[in-house]
């Protein structure tokens, strides 16, 4: 199920985003882009955003939880986020992953609170957002439809969500195969790219926090599987997964002949091992539409089997919802993000 496109509407969304990103990050180096409706490159440096007084020194014997940008770069500007987003930019770059060896596009966005003077010395929580289907060459969470950034900004303003830094990488290296967000032998190391290189890019460019309590991965459909697997596989880095309409087990044909490695990337196996060793605690927030007849039973079985001990689970069922980005955005605002945010670290100095 997670291999199928959501709906023809999502295909249109992906096409729209592709048109918007034409030329972004494709110039002479990372960070060169063309803003929609603009013929000249527009650059964004998030590492300079909210710059204010020098950070407060931690008390003697204490280590600050704030991680300052280490190697900020210039991003191309994709678009501006309106409404509660207060005209904040979405940037795009081409990331050459030093740990994975994989090269792909990454889009980033910081919430309005990140730029406020009162927060100039605070680190912010991070959410990695993964698309469904092939998730290549674009990530549809960057689009004005479904408007994830606009919604996140409004929910943070309303107190229903923490103000997250959002990072949105491509999910696969092409649109011909699915790589299950994993390091499949002989293939591009997408698992390492998603779990290590992409977070490192965020740390290099934003004020973040040195605690797993401030790191989450969300995804829908095939991206939901990748989010679930990534958090269970890397609980020392991430605390939260929001898995919307996910498959539960890896099923890429590229695993053929690599059964042991496939098993090591199976969320059922990973959850069982995490429970056996007693943690660390992870939060798995599942979302499904009430009409997802194929996906929902699998999610319910996973929760019944593995939702105990250090594996905390929650299921948000969206009434009348289908296997679609629109459904999952509704679920985020209906309670998922409130629950997640209550168990994560918000902005702090």
């Amino acid at each position: 199920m997670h291999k199928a496109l959501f709906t023809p509407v999502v295909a249109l969304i992906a096409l729209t985003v592709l048109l918007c990103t034409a030329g972004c990050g494709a110039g002479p180096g990372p960070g060169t882009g063309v803003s929609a409706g603009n013929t000249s490159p527009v650059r964004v440096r998030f590492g300079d955003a909210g710059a204010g007084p020098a950070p407060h020194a931690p008390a003697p014997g204490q280590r600050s939880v704030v991680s300052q940008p280490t190697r900020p770069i210039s991003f191309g500007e994709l678009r501006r986020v309106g409404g509660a987003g207060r005209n904040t930019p979405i940037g795009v770059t081409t990331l050459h992953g030093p740990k994975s060896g994989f090269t792909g596009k990454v889009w980033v966005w910081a919430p309005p609170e990140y730029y406020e003077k009162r927060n100039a010395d605070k680190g912010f929580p991070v959410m990695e957002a993964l698309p469904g289907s092939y998730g290549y060459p674009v990530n549809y969470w960057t689009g004005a439809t479904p408007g994830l950034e606009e919604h996140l900004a409004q929910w943070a303003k309303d107190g229903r969500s923490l103000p997250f830094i959002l990072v949105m990488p491509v999910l696969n290296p092409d649109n011909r195969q699915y790589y299950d967000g994993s390091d499949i032998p002989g293939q591009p190391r997408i698992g390492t790219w998603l779990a290590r290189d992409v977070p490192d890019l965020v740390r290099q460019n934003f004020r973040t926090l040195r605690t797993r309590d401030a790191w989450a991965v969300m995804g829908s459909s095939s991206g939901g599987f990748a989010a679930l697997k990534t958090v269970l596989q890397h609980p020392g880095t991430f605390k939260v997964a929001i898995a919307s309409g996910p498959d539960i087990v890896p099923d890429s044909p590229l695993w053929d002949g690599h059964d042991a490695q496939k098993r090591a990337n199976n969320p059922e196996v990973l959850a069982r091992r995490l429970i056996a060793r007693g943690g660390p605690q992870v939060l798995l927030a599942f979302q499904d539409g009430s009409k997802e007849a194929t996906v929902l039973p699998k999610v319910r079985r996973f929760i019944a089997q593995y939702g105990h001990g250090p594996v905390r689970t929650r299921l948000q069922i969206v009434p009348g919802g289908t296997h679609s980005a629109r459904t999952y955005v509704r679920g985020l605002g209906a309670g998922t993000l409130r629950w997640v945010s209550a168990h994560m670290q918000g902005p702090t100095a």
Side-chain angles (χ1 to χ4, degrees):
M1 171 63 70
H2 82 272
K3 303 311 182 201
L5 283 173
F6 288 148
T7 62
V9 173
V10 172
L12 179 60
I13 292 169
L15 178 59
T16 300
V17 176
L18 177 59
L19 292 173
C20 289
T21 56
C24 290
T32 299
V34 178
S35 182
N38 198 330
T39 58
S40 61
V42 177
R43 297 178 181 272
V44 182
R45 285 181 64 90
F46 296 93
D48 302 329
H56 296 303
Q62 292 185 345
R63 180 171 178 255
S64 173
V65 296
V66 178
S67 177
Q68 298 291 333
T70 55
R71 287 188 294 165
I73 63 172
S74 293
F75 289 77
E77 183 179 305
L78 171 65
R79 69 178 181 91
R80 292 271 167 165
V81 177
R86 290 187 266 167
N87 203 38
T88 46
I90 296 176
V92 58
T93 192
T94 298
L95 172 63
H96 308 279
K99 294 183 173 69
S100 66
F102 174 69
T103 298
K105 288 287 184 64
V106 182
W107 293 262
V108 294
W109 174 75
E113 292 84 355
Y114 186 83
Y115 302 90
E116 294 175 358
K117 186 175 181 180
R118 64 189 175 96
N119 294 324
D121 60 351
K122 292 181 180 179
F124 277 67
V126 178
M127 183 178 294
E128 188 170 337
L130 307 177
S133 188
Y134 292 103
Y136 177 93
V138 298
N139 181 319
Y140 56 63
W141 293 121
T142 65
T145 303
L148 178 60
E149 294 82 8
E150 286 83 352
H151 283 94
L152 282 174
Q154 187 62 55
W155 295 330
K157 181 179 178 181
D158 295 342
R160 288 189 281 170
S161 172
L162 292 175
F164 288 98
I165 295 169
L166 201 61
V167 54
M168 299 161 281
V170 294
L171 181 60
N172 289 294
D174 56 55
N175 58 3
R176 299 181 301 276
Q177 295 281 2
Y178 292 92
Y179 295 73
D180 281 337
S182 303
D183 290 356
I184 301 176
Q187 304 297 332
R189 300 177 65 200
I190 300 302
T192 297
W193 196 68
L194 294 175
R196 301 187 67 186
D197 288 330
V198 172
D200 282 349
L201 176 70
V202 178
R203 296 184 188 99
Q204 290 164 8
N205 286 277
F206 294 88
R207 300 187 309 277
T208 57
L209 294 166
R210 295 189 184 95
T211 170
R212 60 185 291 273
D213 292 350
W215 288 81
V217 187
M218 68 159 277
S220 50
S221 196
S222 53
F225 167 82
L228 176 64
K229 189 222 67 158
T230 297
V231 171
L232 288 168
Q233 195 170 47
H234 300 276
T237 301
F238 305 99
K239 183 178 183 179
V240 172
I242 301 176
S244 301
D247 258 2
I248 300 300
V249 297
D251 60 359
S252 171
L254 297 172
W255 289 113
D256 289 352
H258 304 289
D259 291 345
Q261 292 89 342
K262 181 178 180 180
R263 180 176 174 81
N265 286 272
N266 186 329
E268 294 179 333
V269 174
L270 293 167
R272 189 158 54 244
R273 291 175 178 172
L274 186 65
I275 292 168
R277 66 176 183 262
Q281 185 186 81
V282 294
L283 277 70
L284 309 180
F286 292 94
Q287 297 196 135
D288 288 285
S290 63
K291 295 182 178 180
E292 293 194 74
T294 303
V295 176
L296 191 51
K298 298 177 184 179
V299 170
R300 290 188 185 277
R301 283 196 296 271
F302 182 92
I303 291 173
Q305 283 188 276
Y306 304 107
H308 59 89
V311 180
R312 296 192 58 183
T313 60
R314 181 184 186 274
L315 174 59
Q316 180 80 42
I317 298 179
V318 182
T322 59
H323 194 67
S324 66
R326 187 182 300 274
T327 288
Y328 304 139
V329 169
R330 285 172 54 201
L332 291 172
T336 296
L337 276 179
R338 187 183 292 276
W339 183 71
V340 163
S341 296
H343 295 88
M344 293 186 68
Q345 175 65 59
T348 189

